[in-house]
Amino acid sequence: MDDRTNTIFGWALAAAGTALGLSIAGGMMFHGENPEKKGYAIEGVEEAGGGGGAAEVPIASLLGSADPAKGAEVFKKCAACHTINQGGANGIGPNLYGTLGEPIGQGKGGFAFSDALKSVGGNWNFDKMNAWLTSPRKFANGTKMTFAGLGNAQDRANIIAYLNQQGSNLPLPAAPAAGAAAPTDPAVANVTEATKGDTADLANTGTPASGAPSIDPAAKGDKALGATPPAKE
């Protein structure tokens, strides 16, 4: 009886030793360490604290290679609210013929622009038009414009080249030298700083008005390129 008990105890001890040996061997073969960076990498998303995103490319650097024909395609987002032919009627937004070079928020057959846009001052130049198309609400805080903006810089360059061909024909600016100072115009600088690294269209989560191409729910209500309807809201 004692021999049988000793045998069983011996087999149990041997099994425990074997299991322990296998565990140690497995740990050596499949050794794991904590990764230096936890989580999964997501393409297109910058790591927090990585310098605040890429610097905004000056629009003057893109206009030389801009394609007005592609700009005409981008302008289809605006066509529900604007005409652009010479002598065209104002609609939800003003007629945009000859806009570049004109005073901001003035003219256009007496169109009722918002006070926010009028207060910007100056004329529509390439930098201001780029800032406006990037984010109307940041360019003129309080604007009634409901178009959220174009986050893609090349799309903006293309549409600005197209707009310039429609009755303005201003000479294109020279591309700035590397390391040139950022724009000093407060309206332009505000938008440039706020949208560094932005490469996608701003989110449109509101319910579009009938015929409107895009709605910015945070805007107070100038529709398309800076305007209110002919009948004041």
Side-chain angles (χ1 to χ4, degrees):
M1 190 71 176
D2 289 341
D3 290 341
R4 184 176 179 184
T5 301
N6 290 338
T7 301
I8 294 173
F9 179 77
W11 279 109
L13 185 62
T18 302
L20 179 61
L22 290 173
S23 176
I24 294 173
M28 294 175 65
M29 294 176 62
F30 303 103
H31 180 63
E33 295 180 352
N34 289 331
E36 292 182 4
K37 294 183 179 181
K38 299 181 184 297
Y40 298 96
I42 303 176
E43 294 184 5
V45 178
E46 295 193 30
E47 185 177 351
E56 179 77 3
V57 178
I59 195 64
S61 298
L62 300 174
L63 285 171
S65 59
D67 187 344
K70 291 181 179 178
E73 289 299 310
V74 179
F75 185 79
K76 290 179 180 179
K77 295 183 179 183
C78 313
C81 301
H82 294 277
T83 60
I84 198 168
N85 57 304
Q86 186 174 11
N90 292 327
I92 295 175
N95 172 265
L96 298 179
Y97 184 82
T99 294
L100 280 163
E102 286 190 341
I104 296 175
Q106 299 180 36
K108 300 300 185 187
F111 194 87
F113 292 99
S114 68
D115 291 338
L117 192 60
K118 291 177 184 178
S119 69
V120 173
N123 294 345
W124 284 115
N125 58 27
F126 296 105
D127 284 330
K128 286 180 178 176
M129 183 59 72
N130 178 54
W132 171 253
L133 291 174
T134 300
S135 176
R137 185 164 49 89
K138 289 186 175 72
F139 180 80
N141 186 23
T143 180
K144 295 179 182 178
M145 167 90 159
T146 56
F147 186 72
L150 292 171
N152 186 288
Q154 190 60 60
D155 280 350
R156 297 196 303 271
N158 291 338
I159 197 171
I160 290 171
Y162 172 70
L163 288 170
N164 192 42
Q165 284 187 346
Q166 312 307 309
S168 295
N169 299 311
L170 301 181
L172 296 179
T184 56
D185 187 314
V188 174
N190 175 55
V191 177
T192 301
E193 183 63 26
T195 56
K196 279 184 178 180
D198 188 11
T199 57
D201 284 359
L202 301 180
N204 297 320
T205 57
T207 303
S210 178
S214 175
I215 296 296
D216 180 356
K220 293 183 179 178
D222 295 296
K223 293 193 172 58
L225 281 177
T228 58
K232 195 137 183 168
E233 290 182 340

